[in-house]
Amino acid sequence: MPIIISDRTIISDFVRKVEEISGENFSKCMQCGTCSGSCPMMENMTFGPRMMILRANFGQEEQVIGDNTAWICASCHSCMVRCPRGIDIAKLMEAIRQISLRMNENYVEPFKIDEEILEELPPIAMVSCFRKHTA
Ligand code: SF4
Ligand code: SF4
């Protein structure tokens, strides 16, 4: 998917919102990719942390919110520990989830989960999932 840069995408309201919620300055990122190389969930993510930062910095709100990366992130902080710029990427993921949930958009729809899957899931996993993935 190509990245389109325009005067609308640089320092957009979306970038400001993400930085305000997260308290982080993501423009410090130098795109070294250490975060993606350190992420234990990387193989399940479409973008991964490095691409999420790049796209968030370019104000690509729809792509960032529509991707599974922020929802798959386990908030393990491996990326932050190894980032040479000290960026807390888990906070970016949390900010993106918050922005999406504030639009009342669930990532997981509780009533659409297959009954067979529900029977297999431990209750603590369901509670954790609903707290993280539903508005
Ligand atoms: S490790 Fe840090 S500097 Fe490197 S790409 Fe990831 S966020 Fe950017
Ligand atoms: S905090 Fe999220 S993005 Fe960072 S390494 Fe852990 S799972 Fe990956």
Side-chain angles (χ1 to χ4, degrees):
M1 192 185 299
I3 292 178
I4 300 164
I5 304 170
S6 75
D7 57 349
R8 280 194 307 117
T9 57
I10 304 286
I11 325 247
S12 65
D13 287 346
F14 177 67
V15 175
R16 286 196 199 93
K17 201 188 305 178
V18 168
E19 292 195 340
E20 189 182 305
I21 294 172
S22 67
E24 286 285 309
N25 174 6
F26 298 104
S27 63
K28 291 187 299 183
C29 173
M30 59 183 184
Q31 286 292 296
C32 66
T34 305
C35 48
S36 291
S38 311
C39 178
M41 306 303 288
M42 185 65 196
E43 68 181 40
N44 300 302
M45 296 169 167
T46 309
F47 289 165
R50 181 190 67 81
M51 281 293 284
M52 284 293 271
I53 290 208
L54 181 67
R55 289 180 181 276
N57 271 333
F58 285 153
Q60 298 200 327
E61 182 171 1
E62 280 178 29
Q63 290 94 329
V64 166
I65 287 180
D67 189 64
N68 70 357
T69 299
W71 305 98
I72 300 266
C73 170
S75 304
C76 69
H77 294 279
S78 300
C79 49
M80 180 197 76
V81 168
R82 297 192 65 199
C83 173
R85 291 289 166 93
I87 299 171
D88 191 343
I89 298 138
K91 285 186 178 173
L92 165 72
M93 305 300 182
E94 173 65 15
I96 289 163
R97 291 196 296 270
Q98 285 299 319
I99 289 169
S100 179
L101 294 174
R102 286 176 192 180
M103 294 189 283
N104 269 340
E105 288 180 14
N106 292 337
Y107 183 67
V108 170
E109 289 296 346
F111 296 109
K112 291 184 181 170
I113 300 175
D114 198 81
E115 272 189 36
E116 278 181 25
I117 294 173
L118 276 178
E119 283 171 15
E120 296 290 319
L121 284 176
I124 189 73
M126 281 195 283
V127 171
S128 174
C129 168
F130 295 157
R131 288 183 69 178
K132 179 176 172 182
H133 293 141
T134 60

